[in-house]
Amino acid sequence: MRLRSLVVVTLLFGAAGFTRAQNDPAPDLRQALRDLSHDGVLMDLSAHPDDEDGASLALYRMRYGVRAYSVLFTRGEGGQNEKGPELYEELGVLRSRETESAGRILGTEVHFLNLLDFGYSKTASEAFRKWGGQEEVLRRVVYAIRKLKPDVIFTNHNTIDGHGHHQAVAITALAAFDAAADSSYFPEQLREPGIALWQPRKLFFRAFGRFEQAADLSNAINDTDRTRGVTYLDIASEALREHRTQGLDRANLRAFTRGKSLYRLVRSNSLYEQDSTNFFSGINLFHDPSTARLLPVRAALNLLHPSMSSDSTLAIVSSVFAACDSLRATGRLSVLARRMIGHWEEEAGGLAARLCGLQARITLHDSVVVRRQRVPCELVVSSPGCTLGSVHWSFSLPQGWLMEEEAGAAPETTRELDRRKFTLTVGESAQVTLPKTVTQYRSLERREELMGHVSMTLNGRHIVVGVRPRIEIAPAQLIAVTPRSAGILRSRVRSGVSLAYAVTNYLPHKTAGRIGIRAPAGWSADNAAFVIEQEDSVARGQLSVRPPDGVAPGEYVIHIRTELASESVVISVIDAEVAPGISLGIVKSYDTTLESAAATLGLEYALVTDEDLARGNLGRFSTIVIDIRAYLVREALRNNNGRLLDYVRRGGNLVVMYQREAEWKPEYAPAPFQVTRRRVCDEDAPVTMLAPDHPLLTVPNRIGENDWRGWKQERAVYVPGNVPADYVQLLSSGDPDEQPLTTAYLATRSGEGSYIYTSFVWYRELKDGNAGAFRCFANMLSYRVGRTAHP
């Protein structure tokens, strides 16, 4: 990205994202002092984004100054998206950003173990199987513990209740508690810098429901933080609202938690004095003989207090740096001692920076680079509150990278500013970080980091701070194709499939080429030339991909490519028919799948507007489809549902995709029923046709066993309950060792028309081009009972 001035910098200290109280002039300074008062490290283990106990994280981070990590097993890409059409890896990118935003509010550092989310699971055994086995999950958690070295681990989850992913987290936490300290487990990890055997001291599980009576500890999440003027529970609610793709932008944790944060101590490495109010009760890091030499540094830190003058504070901070340097030079430091020294230096630098208004900045002329690229940059240190001197930069770089001061360029220095010109050379084998949909799932052990360290004097006192620039490493070109999965009816193959492409050039110069396909024999596309005038610019266009005449039904992988990049697309050739004369209306929610599916079937459609729902002529549609979760996001739908029921009685065909229990009212259906939380999670669960001759299973497409193959993630969610006899129950399906559910696909007559409600997760399958889903969807749209609807 060619910019005149792009500031990309992370100062490695403190918690600038904390909520501020308006009546406190220096909350960050107070927090920096608090950070130096506690040497403990806390780790929260969670299965998905939003699973963390944010209130307890905020409490320990903000009240006590504990260093806190939030470690998540997945990025949540298997969930639903209440804000847009993105699913799977694209949703994982959005949820990762949301989780990091929430972490900034809580003051926690977020890490992902990058296990793939695959939707709701009922058993830990399924989670372990799909995550590559229990040993692989344990390996990743052990790595995180050895890297971050927590004293206390806690989790909202337990081994027997709820989501199978949650159970797997708790089971693995128990196993990893001792395995992280055992050299026979994953010894290859110990060859990596910064990774060492580590024994946590305590492990806690959240005590919900029937476990509350067995709780050992209650965290004071209802207390008000004096610096910020709000409770820790309210800070956690603010963080939870960052999870917008999960519909939590109006979340209030008080209702969910009832103001409680109760925990059971399930493992410890020793006996500790009991304290029902603190995870860290009885833990004294200086009882470890290996930390005895660090006691003078802790004594100096204990002298810090908010009313101390800046010069006195800087004198103590500088003495801490000197003492840590001396300790490190002597060698023979334990892992715990090295951890404590590293944290003291980082936090002391943060305190000094806040006292002096210090900013260390790396200004890059290009923030998205390619391998071997040379990038001019400026390194700037400014300190308006203190006299700056003796600035020196050093760098920790991946292998093959260089950071060189520009020859002949003298530093610009004043009492408050130091500016220098450097050139960054990207390594020949630099680890590519784009696109995020791929690279964010890279193994934890293979992450490269670029770090800057700047030492200086502030008012004559020696200080060091760290800087981690945000820089993306891109391939020479990237191709984005929409859609990534597409369907085409076998009867319409001559019309081809239109794919939108965008080629982004990351080379630091103009580029040109042609875009075409690599495909099975007989497939064709017109090669298109493109010219991209400059770096970070994009060439866009449409590519028509045509299957050969007589192509067999099935899935075909097509590679859209240039000379420098390639992207795969799955095209499904589908045998499906639709009835003639369909006029389709779609009550859209936040997804676009139904529109794309209708187009694939060759149908024209109209989006049903709020005005249509309130006053429009609904009778112009032979079929209206209500999209998933539409009752949540369309107020006009809720207010005018009666008009849709009238539409049915007058001859219309209304198809309702799944809704959640909290947003559904029984009276929305012509014969009321409830929506429950029951679901069929196994995407390969057998499906039995209960009414095999019903038109929805025979006209115009006869549905058979093959139509249930190749599903992704789950069969059905939020399956209705208390269903009256008015409805025909069409299908039966269930998870292993459970009674099959028979109410996930319902149909009834109402007056002259028809009403269909289905909890099968058609939208995921239609998005992925599943042929059976298209055939079933075509039957729904074609299903008309009685005469055509009228106003």
Side-chain angles (χ1 to χ4, degrees):
M1 181 180 296
R2 187 65 59 188
L3 296 177
R4 293 181 180 177
S5 178
L6 174 68
V7 178
V8 185
V9 59
T10 302
L11 286 176
L12 303 181
F13 49 75
F18 288 155
T19 301
R20 294 172 178 265
Q22 293 181 354
N23 59 354
D24 190 331
D28 290 345
L29 179 58
R30 293 176 184 273
Q31 186 65 52
L33 286 164
R34 207 167 290 153
D35 293 347
L36 282 163
S37 71
H38 201 296
D39 300 320
V41 176
L42 183 65
M43 176 188 286
D44 181 14
L45 290 177
S46 301
H48 316 100
D50 92 337
D51 280 346
E52 69 273 11
D53 179 1
S56 291
L57 285 168
L59 169 69
Y60 285 93
R61 185 70 193 91
M62 298 179 187
R63 170 177 283 183
Y64 300 114
V66 170
R67 183 173 290 244
Y69 298 104
S70 183
V71 176
L72 297 99
F73 278 45
T74 76
R75 293 178 183 265
E77 69 277 6
Q80 301 172 34
N81 182 355
E82 294 195 13
K83 297 301 178 185
E86 297 89 355
L87 289 177
Y88 307 119
E89 289 81 6
E90 289 82 2
L91 179 57
V93 172
L94 297 179
R95 291 200 168 174
S96 298
R97 292 174 186 163
E98 292 173 345
T99 303
E100 288 160 357
S101 295
R104 284 190 288 273
I105 292 171
L106 298 172
T108 61
E109 189 174 304
V110 175
H111 295 264
F112 295 96
L113 300 184
N114 298 328
L115 295 161
L116 295 179
D117 189 13
F118 56 89
Y120 193 89
S121 174
K122 294 179 179 178
T123 64
S125 59
E126 182 190 28
F128 286 128
R129 184 174 70 253
K130 293 199 172 185
W131 284 346
Q134 198 162 350
E135 188 81 353
E136 170 61 17
V137 182
L138 178 63
R139 183 186 69 80
R140 299 193 191 201
V141 177
V142 164
Y143 183 87
I145 292 173
R146 289 172 173 175
K147 180 180 179 68
L148 303 176
K149 303 173 181 62
D151 301 304
V152 175
I153 301 173
F154 73 108
T155 178
N156 261 337
H157 312 318
N158 64 63
T159 60
I160 58 176
D161 277 345
H163 201 312
H165 296 181
H166 297 180
Q167 298 173 40
V169 169
I171 291 168
T172 309
L174 285 169
F177 187 83
D178 290 324
D182 188 337
S183 61
S184 67
Y185 283 91
F186 319 112
E188 70 283 356
Q189 294 179 353
L190 304 175
R191 294 191 288 269
E192 185 175 333
I195 306 300
L197 296 177
W198 186 259
Q199 176 65 69
R201 288 160 172 78
K202 295 182 182 181
L203 171 63
F204 290 91
F205 286 176
R206 188 76 175 263
F208 286 115
R210 66 184 184 277
F211 295 116
E212 288 187 1
Q213 298 302 316
D216 299 301
L217 179 144
S218 177
N219 288 319
I221 59 175
N222 274 309
D223 284 3
T224 297
D225 185 83
R226 289 174 296 175
T227 298
R228 297 163 184 86
V230 291
T231 69
Y232 302 108
L233 186 56
D234 291 334
I235 293 169
S237 290
E238 181 185 348
L240 191 63
R241 294 181 196 118
E242 293 297 308
H243 297 283
R244 293 180 176 87
T245 59
Q246 301 191 61
L248 296 176
D249 37 332
R250 294 178 297 277
N252 187 337
L253 273 173
R254 289 192 176 279
F256 174 72
T257 66
R258 294 175 291 125
K260 296 181 179 180
S261 178
L262 304 175
Y263 280 87
R264 295 178 293 137
L265 178 65
V266 295
R267 290 294 302 276
S268 67
N269 76 324
S270 182
L271 294 176
Y272 295 98
E273 63 186 57
Q274 291 189 353
D275 179 343
S276 63
T277 65
N278 198 301
F279 281 150
F280 288 85
S281 61
I283 296 176
N284 186 338
L285 301 180
F286 289 98
H287 284 170
D288 188 321
S290 71
T291 62
R293 289 189 293 158
L294 277 60
L295 276 169
V297 185
R298 169 40 62 198
L301 292 170
N302 289 342
L303 297 174
L304 294 167
H305 57 84
S307 59
M308 183 176 286
S309 70
S310 294
D311 282 343
S312 297
T313 301
L314 287 173
I316 292 176
V317 167
S318 183
S319 72
V320 168
F321 277 108
C324 290
D325 283 343
S326 178
L327 286 166
R328 192 178 282 111
T330 63
R332 301 186 308 279
L333 291 172
S334 67
V335 174
L336 172 59
R338 290 198 299 271
R339 187 200 80 177
M340 293 171 69
I341 287 172
H343 290 178
W344 284 339
E345 289 177 323
E346 187 175 317
E347 290 156 1
L351 174 58
R354 290 196 166 89
L355 278 171
C356 299
L358 173 71
Q359 291 190 17
R361 303 189 301 273
I362 299 178
T363 305
L364 297 154
H365 286 211
D366 196 351
S367 68
V368 182
V369 300
V370 296
R371 292 168 175 168
R372 298 183 295 277
Q373 184 175 342
R374 288 171 57 81
V375 186
C377 50
E378 288 186 338
L379 279 58
V380 180
V381 182
S382 61
S383 177
C386 300
T387 300
L388 179 67
S390 303
V391 173
H392 176 73
W393 284 87
S394 61
F395 301 92
S396 300
L397 301 171
Q399 186 174 3
W401 291 56
L402 291 173
M403 181 70 93
E404 302 168 294
E405 195 157 8
E406 188 174 308
E412 176 188 343
T413 60
T414 69
R415 289 168 55 90
E416 298 179 357
L417 179 74
D418 185 286
R419 177 182 284 114
R420 299 163 188 254
K421 293 185 177 181
F422 275 69
T423 299
L424 173 66
T425 302
V426 182
E428 186 171 359
S429 58
Q431 192 177 78
V432 172
T433 63
L434 294 178
K436 291 298 182 186
T437 51
V438 175
T439 64
Q440 69 180 7
Y441 295 102
R442 184 180 290 129
S443 172
L444 298 176
E445 293 91 336
R446 298 172 185 168
R447 301 268 168 169
E448 292 183 345
E449 289 189 344
L450 168 64
M451 272 287 301
H453 309 273
V454 54
S455 67
M456 71 204 80
T457 59
L458 296 174
N459 291 353
R461 306 292 187 177
H462 178 249
I463 305 296
V464 180
V465 297
V467 183
R468 181 180 289 125
R470 301 184 187 99
I471 184 170
E472 301 290 0
I473 316 300
Q477 288 178 354
L478 272 180
I479 302 176
V481 182
T482 306
R484 292 286 306 280
S485 298
I488 185 170
L489 296 188
R490 195 179 182 196
S491 59
R492 304 178 71 234
V493 293
R494 290 191 176 182
S495 62
V497 177
S498 182
L499 302 174
Y501 66 83
V503 182
T504 303
N505 171 46
Y506 291 110
L507 294 169
H509 52 71
K510 176 180 177 178
T511 187
R514 301 190 68 84
I515 187 163
I517 66 169
R518 186 176 79 247
W523 288 71
S524 63
D526 296 328
N527 286 348
F530 64 87
V531 176
I532 306 177
E533 294 292 339
Q534 58 188 3
E535 179 182 6
D536 296 323
S537 295
V538 182
R540 303 181 188 276
Q542 295 284 330
L543 195 66
S544 181
V545 178
R546 294 176 295 278
D549 290 340
V551 65
E555 290 187 351
Y556 297 84
V557 178
I558 309 299
H559 298 277
I560 312 300
R561 63 178 186 171
T562 69
E563 292 84 350
L564 297 175
S566 179
E567 183 66 23
S568 63
V569 174
V570 177
I571 297 180
S572 299
V573 178
I574 300 164
D575 258 339
E577 299 179 13
V578 291
I582 293 173
S583 53
L584 176 61
I586 298 174
V587 182
K588 182 176 179 176
S589 55
Y590 42 73
D591 191 69
T592 58
T593 300
L594 297 185
E595 300 153 62
S596 298
T600 297
L601 292 171
L603 297 175
E604 294 186 1
Y605 62 88
L607 297 180
V608 180
T609 66
D610 289 351
E611 176 67 20
D612 290 332
L613 290 168
R615 286 172 288 277
N617 176 18
L618 300 177
R620 72 185 191 273
F621 302 114
S622 61
T623 294
I624 295 176
V625 182
I626 298 177
D627 205 353
I628 59 168
R629 312 292 303 280
Y631 283 95
L632 171 70
V633 298
R634 297 288 296 272
E635 182 180 4
L637 174 62
R638 299 192 296 270
N639 292 341
N640 296 286
N641 188 76
R643 295 195 75 238
L644 287 167
L645 296 183
D646 287 341
Y647 158 82
V648 172
R649 286 190 285 268
R650 292 171 177 169
N653 178 35
L654 184 63
V655 180
V656 183
M657 298 296 179
Y658 77 78
Q659 313 294 313
R660 288 194 65 169
E661 74 284 357
E663 61 219 30
W664 175 259
K665 294 182 179 179
E667 59 267 26
Y668 288 157
F673 57 79
Q674 295 177 335
V675 169
T676 75
R677 295 184 62 84
R678 296 184 301 170
R679 61 182 72 209
V680 182
C681 296
D682 185 352
E683 61 268 36
D684 297 319
V687 177
T688 301
M689 290 186 286
L690 301 175
D693 295 325
H694 193 279
L696 282 169
L697 299 176
T698 57
V699 180
N701 303 287
R702 179 166 289 279
I703 305 304
E705 181 179 342
N706 288 341
D707 291 305
W708 309 110
R709 293 178 178 169
W711 277 49
K712 292 185 179 179
Q713 193 152 307
E714 62 243 323
R715 286 288 194 206
V717 294
Y718 313 118
V719 176
N722 296 329
V723 175
D726 307 61
Y727 293 92
V728 178
Q729 299 178 13
L730 295 165
L731 300 174
S732 171
S733 187
D735 286 319
D737 302 320
E738 292 186 1
Q739 283 292 108
L741 301 178
T742 63
T743 57
Y745 196 5
L746 305 170
T748 189
R749 296 185 60 154
S750 178
E752 298 296 321
S754 52
Y755 180 91
I756 300 166
Y757 186 95
T758 176
S759 292
F760 277 77
V761 189
W762 304 107
Y763 84 105
R764 285 189 185 273
E765 313 315 317
L766 292 170
K767 183 182 285 287
D768 289 329
N770 181 278
F774 270 95
R775 289 160 53 80
C776 289
F777 186 55
N779 286 6
M780 294 180 218
L781 302 185
S782 302
Y783 185 59
R784 289 178 291 174
V785 177
R787 57 190 176 86
T788 302
H790 57 77

